[in-house]
Amino acid sequence: MIARDGANISLWQNTAEPFIPTRNLSADQTYDVVIAGGGITGVSTALLLQQAGLRCVLIEAHTLCFGTTGGTTAHLNTLLDTPYTTIAKNFDEEKAALVARAARESINTVQANIARYQIDCNFEEATGFLFSQNEKQTQELEEIRKATMEAGVFVSYTDGIPLPIQFEKALEIKNQAKFHPVRYVMALAKAYEEAGGTIVQNCRVMDTDNTDPLVVKTEAGDVRASWLIYTTHIPPGVNLLHLRCAPYRSYAMAVRLTDDKYPAGLTYDMYDPYHYYRTQVIDGEQYLIIGGEDHKTAHADNTMMPFTKLESHIRSNFNNVKEIAYRWSSQYFEPADGLPYIGHLPGQPGKILVATGFGGNGITYSTVAARTLTDIVLNKENPNIQLFNPNRLKPIAGFTNFVKENVDVAKQLITGFFTKEKIHALADIAPGEGKVVHVEGHIIALYKDEAGELHSLNPRCTHLKCTVSWSLAEKCWECPCHGARYDFNGKVLTGPADMDLQKIKL
Ligand SMILES: Cc1cc2nc3c(=O)[nH]c(=O)nc-3n(C[C@H](O)[C@H](O)[C@H](O)COP(=O)(O)OP(=O)(O)OC[C@H]3O[C@@H](n4cnc5c(N)ncnc54)[C@H](O)[C@@H]3O)c2cc1C
């Protein structure tokens, strides 16, 4: 089983083999490119750059697919979460057509890679369906249909959807796809190593000196490189992009049915947040994968509730549920203007690149990012370089800042010592639960393990000092501002933080 940044086990984690690299990082080495982050974006980018003849090292803080790639649902779409209506409005129709083309090329590239490297990842083409359930949604559906056609993607109304759910109107769109994302990434990683690339796991990229070549600081020492690419899902440090990307959690379940009536296709309702449905065959076993109940990270009072709602949604619509085989949640970053940020990291010298803000389409956009980033490094022309430029100035009307909680720097630094008895008395916490408690004018993040032992931390996120809160669903601390996540012991699970939470002595 591969490791993931949450306590729940995803379908992909449990059905893929971990990647065992054959080489280590030698500090003081010089590379052409350091790629930080070993999800689908990092591995796809590293492979392209290595194949172009550059000397690359991919450095992953944990193990490959530890991040959202291990917790996705892996629909490959040209019908994207940001509808073409919004893209045309926020940018223009020509750019909407470019986005559609990029998404199409991405699916084609994934399919070509699977054929080229003979990857066993159950890739299948599938028809997509988007359905409305009330008048307002039906109106919106028609607008989406028009804008999607104008962007060059053929969609048409259909009389039926593959789900046992009542609907008013539905659009169908051919040639979407689905696959096992982790098996795909592991196979690309192997191809990258065979092309001469190096993969280093369990090593965090910490920072870089703005020199030429760059000195990239990692937990295993410094390496020199002409380019540094952050494919870390969100870049570490403090950056403009943290104000332009909002962290969200989405919840998913893989269900076994009592019969073989697994609905074909990739299907979406139109609520906000919406539900998404698809099936996947893995080693002869079928699963119906359903997701939804998204909320901004650390903005839900009870993170078990989305699972409860999702299960009730499934059971009320499908009368043939045998068991919920897997349930998990994962994080994505919603961009301010609806398009991802791929290219030069804002505020940094020319040779630090980034790919982030994929929203719920990062499996599709990862391949777009890999090509775009590679073309920047190789100095090749590509219209997507301008389209997804992270330095674009595109403030949306009404949008000032995604950050809902102020990032006031913590004034209450924890200095004193507290007796366990006092904290036990104040903290009514069940085993396996965490809570932020107030003690004598200070705040402490407390977690009680299954044996009743308390683990105490300074709850100020090490990124920008917002106060973390406990996720009961994934058993970790989460920051409501920029989405950093930590395990019960304060160890970083998800950026942008790159330092652990400070431990408090009891
Ligand atoms: C529930 C859910 C369902 C989704 N479904 C779909 C879908 O159907 N279709 C779709 O297109 N998209 C989907 N998405 C979005 C998509 O899964 C993600 O956008 C995509 O997986 C992001 O891949 P990535 O490689 O950029 O990031 P990640 O997979 O998160 O990888 C980043 C890696 O960087 C590592 N890292 C972080 N910091 C450092 C550092 N400082 N140094 C070294 N390494 C570091 C992390 O450990 C991690 O392994 C979904 C998202 C969610 C949450």
Side-chain angles (χ1 to χ4, degrees), residues 37-41 59-62 66-69 71-75 203-205 231-233 236 250 276 330-332 358-364:
I40 189 167
T41 310
I59 305 179
E60 162 57 48
H62 298 269
F66 183 82
T68 301
T69 303
T72 186
T73 53
H75 302 223
C203 175
R204 184 169 289 277
V205 170
T231 51
T232 47
H233 208 180
S250 190
Y276 42 102
S330 196
Q331 185 148 302
Y332 63 92
F358 294 139
N361 294 116
I363 295 296
T364 308

Side-chain angles (χ1 to χ4, degrees), residues 111-361:
Q111 192 166 13
N113 282 342
I114 290 167
R116 176 171 178 186
Y117 302 112
Q118 302 191 348
I119 305 175
D120 174 14
C121 62
N122 309 89
F123 177 94
E124 271 180 68
E125 281 207 337
T127 300
F129 298 88
L130 179 67
F131 63 92
S132 65
Q133 291 172 288
N134 58 44
E135 203 184 325
K136 188 164 166 274
Q137 290 179 359
T138 299
Q139 265 173 20
E140 198 191 330
L141 194 70
E142 172 55 14
E143 283 159 22
I144 291 176
R145 187 193 67 77
K146 279 196 206 138
T148 307
M149 292 287 278
E150 275 162 22
V153 180
F154 185 78
V155 278
S156 58
Y157 283 112
T158 175
D159 291 338
I161 62 168
L163 301 180
I165 296 180
Q166 292 289 323
F167 66 98
E168 274 196 8
K169 288 205 124 192
L171 287 177
E172 81 170 6
I173 173 165
K174 305 266 190 225
N175 305 117
Q176 311 297 287
K178 55 188 182 173
F179 68 148
H180 190 310
V182 174
R183 287 189 182 176
Y184 173 77
V185 173
M186 296 301 179
L188 287 197
K190 184 164 168 276
Y192 162 71
E193 270 211 344
E194 284 169 2
T198 303
I199 295 178
V200 179
Q201 300 186 97
N202 297 305
C203 175
R204 184 169 289 277
V205 170
M206 303 301 290
D207 201 357
T208 181
D209 279 352
N210 298 339
T211 48
D212 186 15
L214 299 165
V215 178
V216 180
K217 298 181 187 310
T218 81
E219 286 176 337
D222 295 352
V223 287
R224 282 171 178 70
S226 304
W227 294 85
L228 169 62
I229 306 184
Y230 286 119
T231 51
T232 47
H233 208 180
I234 189 81
V238 177
N239 193 273
L240 180 69
L241 291 179
H242 299 127
L243 301 181
R244 300 212 161 162
C245 295
Y248 278 80
R249 306 283 310 166
S250 190
Y251 294 76
M253 289 183 177
V255 181
R256 284 202 188 92
L257 301 179
T258 50
D259 49 33
D260 60 357
K261 292 188 185 140
Y262 286 83
L266 314 177
T267 313
Y268 313 91
D269 69 23
M270 292 183 68
Y271 289 100
D272 184 16
Y274 69 94
H275 294 99
Y276 42 102
Y277 314 77
R278 78 171 184 92
T279 55
Q280 177 74 47
V281 181
I282 303 177
D283 301 329
E285 187 86 47
Q286 293 215 70
Y287 299 91
L288 167 62
I289 304 170
I290 301 183
E293 304 301 333
D294 307 14
H295 62 77
K296 195 158 181 278
T297 299
H299 282 72
D301 290 340
N302 176 356
T303 49
M304 290 307 285
M305 193 51 84
F307 280 137
T308 310
K309 283 191 188 163
L310 192 58
E311 182 165 352
S312 124
H313 174 83
I314 294 169
R315 290 192 186 277
S316 62
N317 285 300
F318 296 85
N319 59 11
N320 52 349
V321 173
K322 183 173 168 199
E323 62 164 337
I324 309 285
Y326 296 89
R327 67 184 71 210
W328 70 94
S329 74
S330 196
Q331 185 148 302
Y332 63 92
F333 292 89
E334 198 58 36
D337 57 15
L339 289 188
Y341 302 101
I342 303 166
H344 294 275
L345 184 69
Q348 293 290 331
K351 293 200 165 179
I352 305 178
L353 306 181
V354 67
T356 188
F358 294 139
N361 294 116

